[in-house]
Amino acid sequence: MNINTLRINGERLVARLKRLGTIGALDGGGVSRLALTTEEKGGRDHLVSEMKALGLAVAIDPLGNIFGTRKGRTAGPAIMLGSHIDTVATGGLYDGALGVLAGLEVIATLNDAGVETENPLVIAAFTNEEGARFQPDMLGSLVFAKGMALEDALEIVSIDGKRLGDELAAIGYAGSDAGPVEIGAYFELHIEQGPVLEDEAIEIGVVRGVQGISWTEITVSGRSTHAGTTPIRLRRDAGLAAARIAAGVGDLVREIGGDMVGTVGAINLTPNLVNVVAEKAVMTVDLRHPDAAVLKAAHERLVAVINAAAEREDVTLSTRMLADFPPTDFAPALVDSVEDAAKALGLSTQRMFSGAGHDAQIIAGLAPAAMIFVPSVNGISHNTTEFTAPADLANGANVLLRVALSRAMPINGEIA
Ligand code: HGY
Ligand code: MN
Ligand code: MN
């Protein structure tokens, strides 16, 4: 059989995405499956049953990473297709889920066609990719790639005050299996989550790498006083200091310009009341840039902004790094494979950097890795209205099928 004629079943893929999308569904659309919540457990249980229905051997590792293996004629190295099924609290159907469920669709297509491969194929769903509830993000792949000790990860406390190890045990995913020992290649299909592909009417993003990411948590301590009786010169206003820091982030991003981005996504004031000067502010700053030196300079400017705000408002503060990932380049040979596969399918392509973080950037430290992007409508993601058209979903999954086969070496049937 000519493997080149193999195509995934797009309707079946969309049906898989919709089924998973019912788990943690939000009224009015969108999904919330924050890591290690009961909603995410529901998604995990569903994924495991779908993996077993496809004849995959399921392994759960000590951080709850899920691996479904389709045996090859040899024991390895494994060709891994992965992503995540946890979401932010206002998530969509596609961020992460597409990469995992398209992997299952690749398996289903090979099963239907009776294709055997030399190398085993592994579908991976990594724990806590989003980093919305527990920081840092990409935590499951980070521990799997030995970038953080399991013991340290289990002690991380969530934004709602829960210990990660306890939450993992509570949902029954503190596994004891080992994940794949040797990975020959890792491919991740993902929605772009930005506007570039749609803007330029390009069907497949050939991702060269991921930009650097730094997350800083800042705790500002002032003094609560009456909003009406206290002259400004006598205040130690944590809320005003936090506002100055947030404004300073916007200024430094605009001054650096180019690809620099910075986000103050969370500010929590205490006591957070209309007529009380805030005694405490806990806030986060997310800085990203493709160039490590520029990201470092931006972080240094952030420190200056923070210190100036503390001085101006007579508050004290402490900072904590929640995530710190350098820019990552993907394996050129795999990037070429993605481009070749897309072109062989007659799809338009564009090489690009990823603005969002992904497990692929962590696995790239362990094995050759690359990513495939498909367009996001209006460039929207981390938003309940996130959408990618079925034709684009199928395009991405067909590229995934092709690059997976190019590495897993089909036994019956040739790849021309
Ligand atoms: O933050 C990110 O880029 C990813 O969604 N964790
Ligand atoms: Mn994602
Ligand atoms: Mn995300």
Side-chain angles (χ1 to χ4, degrees):
M1 160 227 321
N2 179 349
I3 296 274
N4 290 334
T5 60
L6 266 187
R7 296 290 182 271
I8 60 99
N9 179 328
E11 274 142 48
R12 189 168 56 185
L13 173 57
V14 170
R16 286 187 200 283
L17 286 160
K18 286 186 175 162
R19 272 202 305 278
L20 180 60
T22 62
I23 302 171
L26 295 167
D27 296 340
V31 170
S32 176
R33 285 195 304 271
L34 285 168
L36 310 187
T37 56
T38 45
E39 293 81 12
E40 201 227 4
K41 171 184 170 47
R44 287 167 171 268
D45 294 346
H46 172 79
L47 176 63
V48 167
S49 66
E50 295 236 311
M51 285 182 163
K52 288 180 176 168
L54 288 167
L56 299 181
V58 177
I60 314 285
D61 84 358
L63 201 71
N65 292 315
I66 300 171
F67 302 102
T69 299
R70 183 180 196 260
K71 286 169 76 122
R73 184 156 67 170
T74 67
I79 305 305
M80 186 182 277
L81 315 176
S83 198
H84 61 94
I85 63 164
D86 66 309
T87 72
V88 295
T90 52
L93 264 61
Y94 309 96
D95 177 359
L98 175 60
V100 178
L101 299 182
L104 294 192
E105 181 50 37
V106 164
I107 299 296
T109 303
L110 297 181
N111 289 352
D112 294 348
V115 173
E116 297 305 317
T117 57
E118 283 291 342
N119 299 64
L121 281 161
V122 176
I123 310 305
F126 291 106
T127 294
N128 192 54
E129 187 282 340
E130 289 296 357
R133 186 181 180 214
F134 296 93
Q135 291 81 34
D137 54 349
M138 287 88 75
L139 181 63
S141 48
L142 188 65
V143 172
F144 177 68
K146 310 249 185 298
M148 179 187 284
L150 171 66
E151 299 66 40
D152 294 342
L154 295 175
E155 296 310 321
I156 292 171
V157 176
S158 64
I159 56 173
D160 50 324
K162 302 278 197 237
R163 178 181 167 274
L164 189 144
D166 298 341
E167 296 294 278
L168 190 63
I171 65 166
Y173 277 87
S176 54
D177 304 323
V181 177
E182 203 191 351
I183 301 167
Y186 174 85
F187 292 102
E188 182 165 354
L189 169 61
H190 207 286
I191 53 172
E192 178 204 337
Q193 301 183 285
V196 172
L197 293 176
E198 181 182 63
D199 245 9
E200 312 196 4
I202 298 286
E203 290 163 311
I204 295 291
V206 179
V207 189
R208 297 171 28 229
V210 182
Q211 64 181 344
I213 305 173
S214 99
W215 287 357
T216 306
E217 178 191 75
I218 306 159
T219 301
V220 186
S221 302
R223 184 185 57 202
S224 271
T225 52
H226 194 295
T229 58
T230 317
I232 190 131
R233 61 185 169 77
L234 298 179
R235 292 184 183 199
R236 299 181 56 230
D237 186 338
L240 186 50
R244 287 189 187 285
I245 292 168
V249 169
D251 293 345
L252 77 86
V253 168
R254 287 190 170 94
E255 285 154 21
I256 293 173
D259 292 321
M260 189 72 222
V261 288
T263 311
V264 174
I267 296 183
N268 290 293
L269 297 183
T270 304
N272 205 36
L273 298 170
V274 61
N275 57 355
V276 181
V277 173
E279 66 180 353
K280 186 176 175 188
V282 182
M283 62 191 290
T284 59
V285 179
D286 174 324
L287 296 176
R288 307 197 194 197
H289 196 278
D291 180 317
V294 175
L295 186 58
K296 182 169 178 293
H299 194 267
E300 285 160 4
R301 290 175 70 156
L302 172 64
V303 171
V305 163
I306 293 170
N307 291 336
E311 171 115 11
R312 182 78 192 274
E313 301 306 333
D314 188 20
V315 294
T316 57
L317 50 83
S318 63
T319 59
R320 184 164 71 105
M321 289 307 288
L322 297 178
D324 191 8
F325 296 118
T328 304
D329 289 323
F330 289 138
L334 269 61
V335 175
D336 291 347
S337 296
V338 168
E339 192 168 63
D340 295 346
K343 287 183 171 168
L345 290 164
L347 300 171
S348 56
T349 65
Q350 174 167 320
R351 291 194 174 218
M352 59 197 297
F353 242 80
S354 172
H358 299 288
D359 292 308
Q361 77 188 91
I362 304 300
I363 301 299
L366 195 63
M371 291 188 76
I372 307 157
F373 273 177
V374 288
S376 291
V377 170
N378 299 325
I380 295 285
S381 182
H382 284 190
N383 179 307
T384 57
T385 63
E386 174 183 283
F387 184 71
T388 292
D392 290 324
L393 298 171
N395 287 341
N398 276 318
V399 173
L400 188 68
L401 169 68
R402 211 173 176 94
V403 292
L405 278 174
S406 72
R407 287 301 185 290
M409 303 313 289
I411 295 165
N412 42 351
E414 69 293 336
I415 285 241

